[in-house]
Amino acid sequence: MSETLQAKFDDLEARFEALNRARVAAFDRIDELEAENERLSTRLAEIEQLVSPDPESVAYEQLTRSQKVHRIRKKLVEHAASRQTGKSQMEYKDVKWLFNGHPSPGHCYDLMELAGELEGFSYETSDGRSNRVLVNFEGVNDEALIHAANNAPGGRRV
């Protein structure tokens, strides 16, 4: 093969490899975007379930587990945002009070444990103390909860 033909072949091969790398990168990006779309679609569905013109008008019996957990987190974040420490906690009796005495003890603890599973929140069980769900406002990344804190009376603006 002549040097000119070899040079053209090498150039074409390099271009083909570059195109192939671009194709693989594009497919990877498509996969990432599809995963992000799925995550956002799921999140939107969750938020749509939470949104109500008057959330306090929804009867306890009509609330889903995720709506109850959201109410606990929202109350914690609102309280934490109004405190200088940026932290707040709820114990069993606080959760029971939040829902006007409706949840059973076991359900209260289940809700508290679930509420502690989001970033910025934690659930503690300790000897000699009541179980509790805690929030550190600085660690919260949920935009809906941050918005709720910003709009709460005495809440911080972030």
Side-chain angles (χ1 to χ4, degrees), residues 73-82 135 137 140 142-158:
R73 289 176 179 155
K74 182 178 175 210
K75 182 60 91 176
L76 281 165
V77 166
E78 288 172 348
H79 187 244
S82 69
V135 67
F137 186 78
V140 175
D142 186 302
E143 290 297 321
L145 292 172
I146 292 170
H147 180 73
N150 287 339
N151 290 322
R156 9 176 124 173
R157 301 283 177 224
V158 284

Side-chain angles (χ1 to χ4, degrees), residues 35-56:
E36 178 73 1
N37 186 34
E38 180 65 26
R39 186 187 69 74
L40 291 173
S41 294
T42 301
R43 181 71 179 131
L44 178 60
E46 291 171 356
I47 290 171
E48 285 174 340
Q49 289 179 350
L50 297 174
V51 173
S52 172
D54 182 8
E56 300 306 317

Side-chain angles (χ1 to χ4, degrees), residues 20-141:
N20 195 40
R21 283 191 303 273
R23 183 185 63 83
V24 168
F27 280 120
D28 288 347
R29 183 66 179 141
I30 289 169
D31 289 342
E32 290 172 9
L33 291 172
E34 285 175 344
E36 178 73 1
N37 186 34
E38 180 65 26
R39 186 187 69 74
L40 291 173
S41 294
T42 301
R43 181 71 179 131
L44 178 60
E46 291 171 356
I47 290 171
E48 285 174 340
Q49 289 179 350
L50 297 174
V51 173
S52 172
D54 182 8
E56 300 306 317
S57 69
V58 177
Y60 174 80
E61 296 77 21
Q62 294 176 322
L63 293 172
T64 66
R65 179 178 279 208
S66 64
Q67 288 172 318
K68 294 172 194 173
V69 169
H70 180 77
R71 278 197 186 175
I72 293 169
R73 289 176 179 155
K74 182 178 175 210
K75 182 60 91 176
L76 281 165
V77 166
E78 288 172 348
H79 187 244
S82 69
R83 301 186 72 205
Q84 200 168 21
T85 62
K87 297 178 181 179
S88 184
Q89 70 178 25
M90 291 178 86
E91 295 180 351
Y92 161 79
K93 64 182 178 352
D94 302 314
V95 173
K96 187 98 169 158
W97 175 85
L98 181 64
F99 296 106
N100 297 316
H102 284 284
S104 68
H107 192 52
C108 277
Y109 289 118
D110 288 344
L111 294 173
M112 291 167 64
E113 190 170 355
L114 290 169
E117 292 177 355
L118 190 66
E119 193 169 342
F121 295 83
S122 62
Y123 178 68
E124 290 184 357
T125 58
S126 58
D127 296 333
R129 290 202 66 169
S130 187
N131 295 1
R132 58 193 179 151
V133 60
L134 303 104
V135 67
N136 179 349
F137 186 78
E138 297 303 319
V140 175
N141 288 335

